[in-house]
Amino acid sequence: MAQPERRGPQVLNIGEVLAQLSGDFPGMTASKIRFLEEKGLINPRRTPAGYRQYSDGDVERLRFVLALQRDQYLPLKVIKDYLDAIDRGERPENLPPGVVVSPRIVSDELAMELQNRGRKFTEEQLRTESGASIPLLQSLLSFGLISHSNGKFDEHALQVARACVQLESHGLEPRHLRPFQAAAEREFGLVERVVAPLASRRDSASQARAAEAAREISDLCLVLHRALVQDRISRMDI
């Protein structure tokens, strides 16, 4: 009796990968896949002639990345940290619906960050989570330090509220913090100008590059701001 033919792992070209992903991610393009490769999120094999060869595992890895971007609005740096944990043989928990990845686990801190990104809070929940009083939240709203959409606050509002609770204990009230809002607006304007050429393009790869560049520039601005403030503190005569 003839033995059934053994088949090796499936090898796909980029067009076949797009065909598999297009149902769940209709805006996916070849340039977006190549961009994710440039960022180190996938690493397809290459033929001696340099052609990419994608495996089923590469496709599932792409599904994982795209689902986290679409459903959780995570930056690629955070997703890559998650993938690095997976590659170390750990088991992810709290994965978004529809994401299939081989069993592993990430750190408690990263799992919590992934879980929290999509959270929304009522005003009561925001007070409970942040420890802010009703007058403090009202002041934060009136000075534009936090905002809501249809009565729901996001994770950024929670971070602001928590920070302001601590600052309040040092005598700093929301009215003292308006320069931070003005500085944030100026920084955003700077970032927006830098990424405008990419953001103006309509293809998904350019949009992804613009979003990632904006986050990287913002992170560098925060580093610069902290270093400048710490420099001045170090010169205090105390």
Side-chain angles (χ1 to χ4, degrees), residues 62-97:
L62 281 168
R63 287 187 188 280
F64 176 77
V65 172
L66 295 170
L68 287 178
Q69 278 193 307
R70 180 191 64 194
D71 303 333
Q72 304 294 320
Y73 307 103
L74 295 181
L76 292 182
K77 183 179 184 303
V78 173
I79 297 175
K80 186 159 190 317
D81 289 342
Y82 208 131
L83 286 170
D84 288 343
I86 290 169
D87 292 338
R88 291 194 297 269
E90 301 172 353
R91 180 186 182 86
E93 296 177 349
N94 303 317
L95 293 179

Side-chain angles (χ1 to χ4, degrees), residues 148-180:
H148 60 79
S149 177
N150 297 322
K152 295 287 188 177
F153 298 87
D154 62 13
E155 185 71 16
H156 298 108
L158 176 60
Q159 292 175 10
V160 169
R162 282 175 171 166
C164 289
V165 167
Q166 297 299 316
L167 289 169
E168 190 178 42
S169 68
H170 292 281
L172 291 172
E173 301 174 7
R175 61 189 175 89
H176 300 131
L177 304 177
R178 284 181 291 180
F180 288 90

